[in-house]
Amino acid sequence: MKKISRWPTFLLPLLFATSSFASPSASSDAFNFTQSTVGYASLLIFGIAYTLVMMEEYLKLRKSKPVLLAAGLIWILIGFVYKDIGQLEIAKSALEHNLLEYAELLLFLLVAMTYISAMEERRLFDALQSWMVGKGFDFRTLFWLTGILSFFISPIATTSRPRY
């Protein structure tokens, strides 16, 4: 049987992307970046940053550096456009919203990583692994058991994040 490439399936949604997928809460006064120089420049900056992230191992560069630089440059471009058209409040509210979302996610991940580190320090995962192997589970059973546990624990862990 011939192996089917994943690329066409992965890229298929891009062919059908329309403005109907836009957020219904978007303001009608907002500037349309889809056919603008700033929009194309933002896509180029994003592409360069994404390429640098993929080449992390070869460049010995942390993923956060190109991502944060690209995000900053894109927000600067957006800010200039909205300043030029006299609608700085739209850009300001969008930046505040996104910055708040980023801060919430960062704090949540910081707490989650601290919690996992504490469990690793107390060798909880080693004890759990010893218990499961001691029960006679083979690798296939261990795979499915941890997958099912992750499936049910993950939504609980992510919904416990406070929303303000």
Side-chain angles (χ1 to χ4, degrees), residues 128-129 132-133 137-147:
L128 184 60
Q129 179 185 12
M132 288 192 294
V133 170
F137 295 131
D138 60 348
F139 285 122
R140 185 180 194 144
T141 307
L142 288 173
F143 172 80
W144 283 106
L145 184 61
T146 55

Side-chain angles (χ1 to χ4, degrees), residues 20-92:
S20 63
F21 295 128
S23 170
S25 64
S27 172
S28 61
D29 296 334
F31 182 78
N32 186 0
F33 288 98
T34 56
Q35 298 293 323
S36 70
T37 305
V38 173
Y40 291 128
S42 297
L43 285 174
L44 180 66
I45 291 169
F46 173 81
I48 292 169
Y50 197 80
T51 302
L52 291 173
V53 166
M54 289 188 299
M55 297 174 59
E56 173 193 26
E57 290 294 320
Y58 302 108
L59 298 175
K60 306 291 186 221
L61 181 70
R62 287 189 166 181
K63 292 176 184 156
S64 59
K65 291 179 182 179
V67 169
L68 287 175
L69 180 64
L73 289 174
I74 291 170
W75 272 111
I76 288 170
L77 290 173
I78 290 171
F80 280 133
V81 168
Y82 278 108
K83 181 179 176 259
D84 286 345
I85 62 174
Q87 295 179 344
L88 197 56
E89 284 301 314
I90 293 174
K92 181 182 175 200

Side-chain angles (χ1 to χ4, degrees), residues 147-158:
I148 291 168
L149 286 173
S150 298
F151 179 79
F152 287 108
I153 292 172
S154 180
I156 295 167
T158 56

Side-chain angles (χ1 to χ4, degrees), residues 83-152:
K83 181 179 176 259
D84 286 345
I85 62 174
Q87 295 179 344
L88 197 56
E89 284 301 314
I90 293 174
K92 181 182 175 200
S93 66
L95 179 62
E96 287 173 353
H97 172 75
N98 287 330
L99 193 58
L100 180 63
E101 287 285 323
Y102 177 76
E104 287 177 357
L105 182 61
L106 180 69
L107 290 173
F108 170 74
L109 290 175
L110 183 65
V111 169
M113 289 168 34
T114 303
Y115 187 67
I116 295 295
S117 294
M119 289 191 297
E120 279 182 353
E121 180 185 325
R122 287 162 180 76
R123 301 177 56 97
L124 178 75
F125 298 114
D126 292 336
L128 184 60
Q129 179 185 12
S130 301
W131 178 80
M132 288 192 294
V133 170
K135 290 289 185 181
F137 295 131
D138 60 348
F139 285 122
R140 185 180 194 144
T141 307
L142 288 173
F143 172 80
W144 283 106
L145 184 61
T146 55
I148 291 168
L149 286 173
S150 298
F151 179 79
F152 287 108

